[in-house]
């Protein structure tokens, strides 16, 4: 939401609706009431805008095909768990791209990136490039 995305549609259980909305979701679809196979119809009731970006933070067996069915041609989908059914890193016939992200800063292969990011984090928070809701500052008082 801070980056200007809208609408932000999430799938979650009904008990997590308030949390998702406080975190920036504009719409919450209860996956216990609406199965992933019916996701395209549920999203169409919310917006007619093409869905150009999907971030699948759970990546279940049915979530990737459902996300791809909602994703606009030429759109991009990020998954957090590798999928064997969808070849990550290549565009399909509709020019839709699925990429796998892995952000564990403790992994030795990510150590240099993590060190660089964390060294810049105070300045990014200070200049407002990164915002943290609910905190006026994460930096020590000067």
């Amino acid at each position: 939401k801070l980056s200007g995305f809208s609408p932000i549609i999430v799938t979650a259980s009904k008990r997590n609706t308030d949390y998702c909305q406080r975190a920036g979701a504009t719409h919450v679809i209860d996956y216990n009431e609406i199965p992933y196979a019916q996701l395209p119809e549920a999203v169409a009731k919310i917006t007619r805008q093409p869905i150009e970006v999907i971030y699948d933070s759970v990546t279940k067996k049915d979530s990737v095909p459902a996300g791809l069915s909602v994703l606009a041609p030429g759109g991009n989908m990020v998954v957090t768990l590798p999928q064997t059914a969808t070849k990550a890193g290549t565009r399909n016939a509709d020019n839709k791209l699925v990429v796998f992200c892995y952000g564990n800063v403790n992994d030795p292969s990510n150590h240099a990136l993590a060190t660089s990011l964390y060294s810049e984090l105070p300045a990014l928070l200070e200049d407002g490039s990164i915002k943290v809701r609910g905190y006026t500052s994460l930096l020590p008082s000067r």
Side-chain angles (χ1 to χ4, degrees):
K1 191 169 191 175
L2 291 172
S3 296
F5 288 103
S6 182
I8 299 174
I9 305 167
V10 301
T11 58
S13 63
K14 187 174 287 195
R15 69 181 174 87
N16 288 315
T17 296
D18 290 340
Y19 170 78
C20 292
Q21 290 174 330
R22 284 193 312 274
T26 57
H27 301 83
V28 180
I29 297 171
D30 184 347
Y31 56 69
N32 292 310
E33 293 179 9
I34 299 177
Y36 284 121
Q38 295 175 8
L39 192 62
E41 293 83 7
V43 170
K45 289 179 183 175
I46 295 169
T47 184
R48 296 278 181 219
Q49 290 179 257
I51 305 298
E52 297 176 352
V53 177
I54 294 178
Y55 179 79
D56 185 340
S57 64
V58 178
T59 314
K60 294 184 176 188
K61 177 185 170 190
D62 296 339
S63 67
V64 174
L68 283 170
S69 69
V70 171
L71 190 64
N76 300 297
M77 182 173 180
V78 177
V79 297
T80 56
L81 293 174
Q83 293 290 306
T84 56
T86 304
K87 188 172 180 182
T90 59
R91 293 202 177 267
N92 69 9
D94 291 329
N95 200 28
K96 297 176 184 181
L97 176 66
V98 176
V99 294
F100 167 66
C101 71
Y102 177 69
N104 183 344
V105 296
N106 297 311
D107 187 291
S109 67
N110 292 333
H111 183 73
L113 175 63
T115 301
S116 173
L117 172 65
Y118 287 151
S119 71
E120 297 295 324
L121 192 55
L124 293 170
L125 288 164
E126 202 167 69
D127 74 12
S129 294
I130 296 177
K131 297 177 180 141
V132 180
R133 184 185 294 203
Y135 295 94
T136 54
S137 176
L138 295 177
L139 304 174
S141 300
R142 292 189 183 164

